[in-house]
Amino acid sequence: MEWYEALGLLIGSIMFLMAIGMPVALAFLAANIIGAWVFMGGERGVVALLNNGWGSLTKFALVPIPLFLLMGEIFFHTGLGGRMFSAIDRLLGKLPGRLSYVTVLGGTGFSTLSGSSMGSTALLGALMVPEMNKRGYKKHMSIGPILGTGGLAIIIPPSALAVLLATLAQIDVGALLIAGIIPGLILAGLYISTIYLQTRLDPEAAPAYEVPPQSMVEKLGLLFRNVVPMIGLMVLIVVMMIRGIVTPSEAAAFGALGVLLLAVFYRCLTWDAVKASVRGALRVTLMAYLIVFGSATFSQLLAFSGASRGLIGWATGFDLDPILMLLVMFAVLLILGMFMEQISMMLLTVPIFFPLATSLGFDPIWFGLIMLLALEISFTTPPFGLLLFVMKGVAPADTTMRDIYTAAIPFIVCSLILVTLLILFPSLATWLPGTG
């Protein structure tokens, strides 16, 4: 069988099973069993493939995923996240568009820990949009920042999605997490500049309203009581990884313990919160582990059938500029994002794209960061980005899809500017990991 026939059989089987409603992880597992039967000699090949797949779940690099997820769940269910949102809101006072800034700052913290852009968009849409509408904010000022927070959440550590990508691609987890710090700060600056520009060009887009005056002592109390401990915990985790004091797995453990201790300190740790947190983290972790299992076996089948070798040979045979090939892969991710969730996209593309990127001479950490940004941009790309429809589901009834498209575009442009900067200046992603 030719390589393209093998590739067509494997991917075609997955797409067919997903189209008839089978869950993504199970569709990959079923397609892998079919592939093993065809390419690896029937029942014996299936047994060998499954045995090899189990080995992928015993990697120490997977440990941060459930711990980062548990950290985020505790942060949300105990109300620590709500305290931080409220404090940032009050600290910003009469700043024009302050609720938009609150959404970016607080939403990024929650999204980063939760690891789910769809979940955080639904939560922030239901929580922040009605409040901003009540205050007279125009739709692009309330919806746009929520759609934009995912771009920050996916690259600023601790990011469960970055850990999963690094594990699937078999690259250094810590290096990928650290690589996102400088680009993440640049993207945050671009988002804040966008909101500032929007309020300057149209002051009525985010009308000012009266807020209770607070003394400097009260503001400092809010800052050090409700913001610094939460943000400080995240900064501490990142610094310990950069300095090489802890591994990503140990950093995740410290993070989960730190949030737990904060919840105890603030007397908001209840049994119901613990149960909800463990349940939420367990649900996403099991899905992530199934994804890892499916990806590992899928990669083996691509190699065993000759599909990956044939695809790389075909792609590099055009003698295209590597950057042009990067743009082609970027475009594929944007298209897939209209129909698939991020983890599903990673499962399908990582076994193909990373060997191709390596053959083109790309730094794997730099390429991983580019791919993370492509995954997030694809989620908000009109007309079919999945987050656009999530937002439609939680936004007020009078919100049209055109309103959502218009709100998303400035923040998509910010992410595209960052991608351009990373292509022009790769050291933005590679310098910090190289200092460790």
Side-chain angles (χ1 to χ4, degrees):
M1 185 180 292
E2 296 291 336
W3 70 267
Y4 50 83
E5 294 174 327
L7 185 65
L9 174 64
L10 291 171
I11 295 182
S13 300
I14 294 168
M15 293 299 188
F16 172 76
L17 292 172
M18 288 172 59
I20 63 175
M22 184 177 287
V24 175
L26 297 181
F28 268 87
L29 184 59
N32 289 343
I33 291 173
I34 294 170
W37 190 279
V38 173
F39 299 116
M40 299 177 67
E43 183 179 346
R44 188 174 299 177
V46 173
V47 172
L49 186 75
L50 294 177
N51 287 337
N52 291 335
W54 288 118
S56 65
L57 299 181
T58 61
K59 293 179 180 178
F60 192 61
L62 286 174
V63 173
I65 294 175
L67 291 173
F68 278 148
L69 290 171
L70 181 62
M71 184 178 173
E73 292 287 334
I74 295 172
F75 186 72
F76 170 63
H77 287 292
T78 58
L80 290 174
R83 294 176 72 100
M84 189 172 75
F85 266 98
S86 177
I88 293 173
D89 180 33
R90 293 168 65 187
L91 285 169
L92 292 178
K94 294 183 180 181
L95 180 70
R98 70 190 180 100
L99 289 178
S100 297
Y101 293 112
V102 169
T103 300
V104 170
L105 297 173
T108 297
F110 174 74
S111 303
T112 300
L113 293 170
S114 72
S116 171
S117 295
M118 293 180 73
S120 62
T121 298
L123 173 72
L124 291 170
L127 180 69
M128 299 298 294
V129 173
E131 179 66 22
M132 286 193 266
N133 284 357
K134 188 171 71 175
R135 300 291 184 181
Y137 279 53
K138 292 186 179 179
K139 288 186 172 65
H140 68 275
M141 293 299 297
S142 60
I143 293 171
I146 294 174
L147 294 172
T149 55
L152 281 172
I154 202 171
I155 59 175
I156 292 181
S159 167
L161 208 60
V163 174
L164 183 58
L165 177 68
T167 305
L168 295 178
Q170 299 182 13
I171 60 177
D172 189 326
V173 173
L176 183 58
L177 287 171
I178 294 169
I181 296 173
I182 294 176
L185 293 175
I186 293 172
L187 188 58
L190 290 171
Y191 283 176
I192 290 171
S193 300
T194 298
I195 295 171
Y196 175 78
L197 205 60
Q198 288 174 326
T199 55
R200 292 286 292 179
L201 293 174
D202 182 10
E204 293 303 311
Y209 56 91
E210 287 300 316
V211 293
Q214 295 183 79
S215 67
M216 183 57 67
V217 173
E218 289 174 319
K219 288 185 176 181
L220 287 174
L222 275 175
L223 179 66
F224 285 100
R225 188 169 58 250
N226 294 334
V227 178
V228 169
M230 288 62 155
I231 300 297
L233 178 61
M234 299 179 204
V235 172
L236 180 63
I237 291 170
V238 172
V239 170
M240 288 196 299
M241 284 195 294
I242 292 175
R243 303 298 299 171
I245 299 172
V246 295
T247 65
S249 300
E250 292 164 344
F254 276 117
L257 178 62
V259 172
L260 201 62
L261 292 176
L262 283 175
V264 172
F265 177 78
Y266 286 106
R267 298 181 180 179
C268 55
L269 185 67
T270 64
W271 182 239
D272 286 340
V274 171
K275 287 193 294 184
S277 300
V278 171
R279 190 181 302 116
L282 182 62
R283 183 174 61 250
V284 181
T285 298
L286 288 175
M287 179 182 68
Y289 273 56
L290 278 174
I291 294 292
V292 171
F293 183 88
S295 178
T297 51
F298 185 57
S299 299
Q300 291 173 34
L301 277 175
L302 287 175
F304 194 87
S305 65
S308 56
R309 184 174 62 254
L311 180 63
I312 291 170
W314 173 77
T316 55
F318 289 108
D319 199 26
L320 294 177
D321 185 272
I323 296 300
L324 185 57
M325 189 61 71
L326 174 69
L327 295 178
V328 170
M329 290 189 278
F330 199 89
V332 169
L333 289 169
L334 293 186
I335 294 169
L336 288 178
M338 298 179 185
F339 311 103
M340 300 174 69
E341 208 269 336
Q342 291 161 322
I343 295 179
S344 308
M345 292 163 63
M346 285 197 294
L347 185 55
L348 186 63
T349 57
V350 165
I352 298 172
F353 282 6
F354 267 85
L356 182 56
T358 302
S359 71
L360 293 170
F362 294 146
D363 181 280
I365 301 299
W366 173 83
F367 180 74
L369 202 57
I370 294 283
M371 189 167 178
L372 282 172
L373 283 166
L375 289 169
E376 195 58 49
I377 293 169
S378 70
F379 247 29
T380 52
T381 305
F384 300 119
L386 287 181
L387 285 189
L388 304 176
F389 294 98
V390 173
M391 178 57 70
K392 174 63 176 169
V394 297
D398 63 341
T399 304
T400 67
M401 288 306 298
R402 183 174 181 176
D403 293 330
I404 296 173
Y405 295 158
T406 304
I409 288 172
F411 293 89
I412 292 173
V413 170
C414 290
S415 296
L416 291 174
I417 290 172
L418 178 60
V419 171
T420 304
L421 289 173
L422 286 172
I423 292 173
L424 294 175
F425 308 103
S427 58
L428 290 174
T430 59
W431 174 74
L432 199 55
T435 61

